[in-house]
Amino acid sequence: MPTLPWTVPNTPPRDTEVHVFASRFETRTLWGALRFLAGTPAVWRQIRRSPGAYGATLKARPLKRTFWTLSAWESEDALHAFVRAGAHGPASRGLAPQMRDSAFITWQVNSGDLPLSWPEALRRLPDPVGAVS
């Protein structure tokens, strides 16, 4: 699966602070990676409908069992509402036993810095040797 392009469900106001969230997930098995991929379309639809979502992208290396997410939000509360609602909640709980490793990071940017770049997110996230290549 190639990298999903930056999707913009809502346009942020100019010159506002935006909450950024990046994650890296590594599944224990190829079966776990396939389960991750199977849940992706529903979660992606949820992002497109989420209030406070300013953009998101996904990088997937299923044969290496590794996935990265990068998203921008109106606030930390908007991100938390997304995580608890819709398809994301059941998908993440269902995948928890399949996870080998994960990493999460947040930071703030100006809305004028959107869309976000993968190099910046990958620089900030801890990366096991060889996971990105």
Side-chain angles (χ1 to χ4, degrees), residues 17-85:
E17 191 172 79
V18 173
H19 185 78
V20 176
F21 176 80
S23 63
R24 180 189 42 78
F25 300 99
E26 184 181 349
T27 63
R28 294 180 189 283
T29 64
L30 188 55
W31 174 247
L34 294 173
R35 288 190 61 198
F36 189 104
L37 287 174
T40 297
V43 173
W44 208 248
R45 284 189 299 274
Q46 180 188 348
I47 289 171
R48 289 186 186 137
R49 296 187 312 263
S50 292
Y54 290 150
T57 180
L58 169 76
K59 182 182 284 288
R61 298 293 183 264
L63 295 179
K64 292 190 176 193
R65 303 179 333 268
T66 306
F67 303 85
W68 298 263
T69 69
L70 178 58
S71 57
W73 299 86
E74 175 183 67
S75 64
E76 191 172 356
D77 289 341
L79 170 61
H80 287 258
F82 162 77
V83 167
R84 290 187 304 269

Side-chain angles (χ1 to χ4, degrees), residues 83-107:
V83 167
R84 290 187 304 269
H88 186 277
S92 62
R93 287 188 297 277
L95 282 170
Q98 298 289 329
M99 290 300 150
R100 177 176 166 201
D101 188 35
S102 57
F104 309 96
I105 189 153
T106 62
W107 70 97

Side-chain angles (χ1 to χ4, degrees), residues 101-116:
D101 188 35
S102 57
F104 309 96
I105 189 153
T106 62
W107 70 97
Q108 306 294 317
V109 300
N110 184 283
S111 58
D113 294 334
L114 300 179
L116 300 167

